[in-house]
Amino acid sequence: MAQTVKAAPPDDRAPEPETRPGSGPRRGPRLRIGAPYLLIAPTLVILAVVLLWPIVQMAWYSVHGFTTRHLLPNAPAPEFKGLEYYGRLLSDPEFWTILRNTVVVTVLMVGITMGLGTLVGILLNRLPKWFSAVVAVGMMLAWATPAISASLIFRWLFMPERGLVNVALDALPDWLVGSGWREYNWFLEPVSLFSVLILVIVWQSFPFIAVSVLAGLKSIPSELYEAARVDGAGAWRSFWSVTFPMLRPLFALLLVLQIIWDLRVFTQLYILANGFQNKSVYLLSYYIYQQGFSASPPNYGMGSAIAVVMTVMILAVTAYYLRIMIRQGETR
């Protein structure tokens, strides 16, 4: 007789997962979530030490009467001043004049730099590639020039009696530019000095804007411009309808960076003004150094209070930029 084989009863247990040789148990979800934070923790610690600690120390100085005598061994602890320096600062008409000069000069520097850099970037985009590359490299040499060297060059150009600018203006007809340019001193009056300062900053800054705009234009599809031309849009309309919307994040970033850089201008003004003799040409960064280090005696507390005010201005600009970026990210 044929033997019948009974089928084995089904096993209700779930099959055990196969494990590769050498592989350990799976990590828990908490460890997987915390791993990125552990990886960036060393960087965060370094940034906190390098960036946050100086800001905290600056804020501490601004509420204490810290001077050079507190740097000596066994010196007494600096006296707590509270908001005294801020009160003196906000009630000082000289501070408000310097703040006004800083805002006006910064707006002019940023506006001219952004406008000129954008125009040059668009021009470079229309030139042949080899010629555009040569011009871009030449402009970046000006951007890479040290601030001290650039300031000295422009001071020589505008020097009374021997400066190239004064000699050239003096050679022109009097009915066109007036007379007396040979002995004219550009570095005494605020308007003339700030004009030279703006020229120096724009000369050094616009190449970076131009090259950045050129790189952004290379990423815009040419079909968009062709469609705009078909619709009858000219160069101006194409810029506002195609170029500007596509490069809006880039323009916002460049604008914020330029504001921060121009607010902190110090070296160029120091060389052009030849020191701290003329208070009418002070800017905030200049005023910080004068109060904190060059005054007699140096007042680190007042200098730190001015620095805190300027830091708040920079943080406000940065916060506005981040708000714009977040809104643009939400609308996409």
Side-chain angles (χ1 to χ4, degrees):
M1 294 179 62
Q3 295 181 355
T4 59
V5 180
K6 295 182 179 180
D11 191 358
D12 295 335
R13 293 177 300 175
E16 297 182 359
E18 296 183 359
T19 58
R20 298 181 180 178
S23 62
R26 292 184 178 179
R27 298 179 178 178
R30 292 184 179 179
L31 185 58
R32 290 199 302 268
I33 294 175
Y37 298 99
L38 293 177
L39 293 175
I40 66 174
T43 303
L44 293 178
V45 172
I46 294 174
L47 289 176
V49 173
V50 175
L51 298 178
L52 294 182
W53 172 243
I55 296 177
V56 172
Q57 194 173 26
M58 176 181 65
W60 185 87
Y61 284 152
S62 68
V63 295
H64 289 81
F66 197 91
T67 59
T68 52
R69 67 186 182 92
H70 296 101
L71 299 175
L72 300 175
N74 301 323
E79 181 184 357
F80 179 73
K81 296 288 187 177
L83 301 178
E84 177 182 340
Y85 290 129
Y86 293 98
R88 287 166 52 184
L89 195 65
L90 297 178
S91 61
D92 186 7
E94 186 179 59
F95 167 75
W96 292 107
T97 301
I98 295 172
L99 180 62
R100 181 201 61 196
N101 293 342
T102 302
V103 173
V104 172
V105 172
T106 301
V107 169
L108 291 175
M109 289 190 294
V110 172
I112 297 174
T113 301
M114 291 295 296
L116 182 60
T118 302
L119 292 175
V120 174
I122 295 174
L123 176 62
L124 292 177
N125 189 47
R126 298 185 178 182
L127 294 176
K129 290 185 178 180
W130 67 270
F131 190 63
S132 175
V134 171
V135 175
V137 170
M139 291 192 309
M140 293 307 292
L141 292 177
W143 179 73
T145 302
I148 296 177
S149 302
S151 304
L152 289 175
I153 291 173
F154 276 84
R155 183 168 178 83
W156 292 336
L157 288 174
F158 288 88
M159 187 178 296
E161 297 183 0
R162 298 186 301 274
L164 180 61
V165 174
N166 288 25
V167 173
L169 290 174
D170 191 68
L172 294 175
D174 293 346
W175 61 267
L176 182 62
V177 296
S179 60
W181 286 104
R182 193 76 176 235
E183 296 80 17
Y184 184 73
N185 194 334
W186 293 82
F187 310 113
L188 292 180
E189 298 298 327
V191 175
S192 58
L193 177 60
F194 288 149
S195 300
V196 179
L197 176 65
I198 293 171
L199 184 61
V200 176
I201 299 301
V202 171
W203 179 79
Q204 280 201 285
S205 302
F206 89 89
F208 177 76
I209 305 297
V211 174
S212 301
V213 171
L214 175 63
L217 291 172
K218 297 295 184 183
S219 64
I220 300 177
S222 58
E223 292 81 3
L224 297 179
Y225 291 104
E226 294 177 0
R229 285 194 295 269
V230 170
D231 292 340
W236 183 254
R237 186 63 181 173
S238 297
F239 175 80
W240 287 109
S241 299
V242 179
T243 305
F244 186 77
M246 295 295 293
L247 300 184
R248 188 190 300 270
L250 176 63
F251 283 128
L253 176 61
L254 293 176
L255 179 63
V256 171
L257 290 177
Q258 200 61 46
I259 291 175
I260 295 174
W261 291 339
D262 291 346
L263 275 175
R264 298 185 297 110
V265 166
F266 173 81
T267 304
Q268 296 88 339
L269 182 59
Y270 181 83
I271 294 177
L272 293 176
N274 196 22
F276 298 99
Q277 292 81 10
N278 190 358
K279 289 188 176 182
S280 63
V281 298
Y282 280 10
L283 299 180
L284 274 183
S285 57
Y286 208 58
Y287 196 35
I288 292 171
Y289 188 88
Q290 189 273 333
Q291 287 290 322
F293 299 96
S294 182
S296 181
N299 191 338
Y300 297 139
M302 179 60 75
S304 299
I306 304 171
V308 169
V309 172
M310 192 172 72
T311 303
V312 170
M313 294 172 60
I314 293 176
L315 291 178
V317 173
T318 306
Y320 182 72
Y321 164 73
L322 294 177
R323 181 182 179 185
I324 293 176
M325 292 297 98
I326 293 174
R327 284 188 174 183
Q328 289 182 354
E330 293 175 351
T331 55
R332 289 180 181 178

